[in-house]
Amino acid sequence: MSNYAPSTPERRAALTEAIRAETGIDETLIANVVDEFYTRVRADELIGPIFNTRIADWSPHLAQMRAFWGSVALMTGEYHGQPMRKHLPLPVDAEHFDRWLKLFEETVNDLCNPKAAEHFMERARRIAESLELGIAGANGVMLGRGERFRQFAS
């Protein structure tokens, strides 16, 4: 069987169930992680202001992030947004992504079993790297392997 077989609802459901069984991740855990993470984000002195000046009503954002992480962590396919487009105009660089990852890692380590925490973190690291590369490119900076995007003095 090819690794590139088309996704079917049955195949997606089987994959989701396998991830649930292996990691213990479910919708309740995702909601708890998202809610706690954004509580920490809002209170953070570096990245909190970036979110707080752009999000007036947190309920829709949290619902969207739960759907996003359901798609990322469980392969549910329920998120259909464009995260890169939404992040491109933000005033962020490597320092902000490092803080985002630190807060996310602290959150999943506090709320999840080790297997679930690592599953979340593998995906969070890829997301942060992809967004940082995209934002750098949108600012005319082509990053080489291992390079970071810095546009603000630390």
Side-chain angles (χ1 to χ4, degrees), residues 16 19 32 48 53 55 58 63 75 86 90-92 107 110 112 120 128 141 149:
T16 297
I19 294 167
N32 290 340
T53 59
I55 302 171
W58 278 87
M75 307 291 287
K86 291 182 179 196
L90 298 179
V92 296
T107 302
D110 286 349
C112 302
F120 275 118
V141 177
F149 178 57

Side-chain angles (χ1 to χ4, degrees), residues 57-147:
D57 182 358
W58 278 87
S59 293
H61 183 72
L62 293 174
Q64 187 174 38
M65 291 299 91
R66 289 182 202 113
F68 174 79
W69 279 101
S71 289
V72 169
L74 292 176
M75 307 291 287
T76 63
E78 55 186 85
Y79 178 78
H80 301 288
Q82 297 178 325
M84 183 64 74
R85 188 174 59 107
K86 291 182 179 196
H87 288 80
L88 287 178
L90 298 179
V92 296
D93 68 4
E95 182 181 13
H96 299 89
F97 285 108
D98 289 347
R99 181 69 60 86
W100 183 88
L101 280 170
K102 179 180 182 287
L103 291 173
F104 195 80
E105 185 168 31
E106 289 170 354
T107 302
V108 297
N109 285 340
D110 286 349
L111 299 179
C112 302
N113 69 60
K115 198 133 182 107
E118 186 53 35
H119 186 82
F120 275 118
M121 285 309 301
E122 284 174 7
R123 283 138 188 88
R125 287 182 195 102
R126 284 195 297 251
I127 291 163
E129 181 180 20
S130 175
L131 289 173
E132 185 177 335
L133 285 169
I135 290 169
N139 283 277
V141 177
M142 298 307 296
L143 297 176
R145 183 175 293 282
E147 290 182 326

Side-chain angles (χ1 to χ4, degrees), residues 6-17:
S7 181
T8 63
E10 295 80 16
R11 187 168 185 262
R12 182 180 296 278
L15 182 57
T16 297
E17 286 311 310

